[in-house]
Amino acid sequence: MAVTQQLARVSAEYLAACRTRAEESSDGFHQWDPPEADCLDLDWAPAMLERTCEIAGVSEVHLAALRQATEGGVAMDVRFLNAHPHAIGPFGPAPSALEPLAVRQVSGLLGEIDVQAVLAVLPLDIREAGTLIGHGAEGLVDGPRTYLMDHFEALRGFYAEASKRGHAVVSWWD
């Protein structure tokens, strides 16, 4: 079973309803089931994206935003999503979330990253590029450029839509 980074953009009301259901249930069943259109599977891209941005010399502010985009934050309490037997991310760190204000800030910073310029610093040889990045990038069949471009653009678009809708973003590994 592959464990991959998952994100969901949800309203504060949705999170509150899940929390209430968990509190009222004898076994903590929160009934977490956000719409598929509001979920993003980032696969194993987060560490590769971060490493590539480090190689490219992306500023610490933008690197921190990228980390927040995938790791979430501590301002929102979503521990109820990690209660056995209904944990949404039983194979990794506990789920975390970014509140709507943080989502807006992260979205803005992700929008400032020039992913073309970031990827341009990678060696043209896909094996060299993969080895430089590490984190499994050396095993990407078509090389890391397309994979990272697709995943970064998906992440940026996901956050832009969450920001536009005033949603929180929950992250977990599953």
Side-chain angles (χ1 to χ4, degrees):
M1 172 189 301
V3 178
T4 60
Q5 175 74 67
Q6 305 294 311
L7 302 174
R9 55 184 172 225
V10 295
S11 67
E13 295 80 14
Y14 182 80
L15 273 176
C18 287
R19 181 178 286 108
T20 298
R21 286 191 294 267
E23 290 168 354
E24 293 174 351
S25 170
S26 62
D27 66 351
F29 186 35
H30 42 69
Q31 299 176 34
W32 172 261
D33 189 23
E36 189 175 320
D38 288 323
C39 295
L40 178 63
D41 182 343
L42 276 180
D43 200 34
W44 302 287
M48 291 182 225
L49 286 168
E50 183 177 341
R51 176 66 182 133
T52 304
C53 285
E54 289 170 350
I55 293 165
V58 169
S59 75
E60 186 53 45
V61 169
H62 291 94
L63 276 171
L66 179 61
R67 284 185 209 108
Q68 264 196 308
T70 59
E71 296 173 7
V74 294
M76 291 189 77
D77 180 10
V78 291
R79 287 180 291 188
F80 67 93
L81 293 173
N82 203 36
H84 181 74
H86 305 291
I88 66 170
F91 305 109
S96 61
L98 290 179
E99 62 190 1
L101 178 59
V103 167
R104 187 172 30 250
Q105 293 166 340
V106 165
S107 178
L109 289 166
L110 290 176
E112 294 173 3
I113 297 173
D114 182 351
V115 71
Q116 293 287 352
V118 168
L119 295 174
V121 304
L122 294 176
L124 293 177
D125 180 270
I126 62 174
R127 281 177 292 232
E128 281 183 53
T131 299
L132 181 62
I133 295 167
H135 302 286
E138 58 278 1
L140 296 170
V141 175
D142 295 325
R145 288 177 191 271
T146 301
Y147 176 87
L148 293 175
M149 174 65 86
D150 291 349
H151 284 81
F152 183 79
E153 290 300 333
L155 180 65
R156 184 177 5 220
F158 185 85
Y159 266 86
E161 183 63 22
S163 176
K164 176 180 160 187
R165 291 165 44 188
H167 282 183
V169 172
V170 177
S171 63
W172 71 99
W173 286 86
D174 187 22

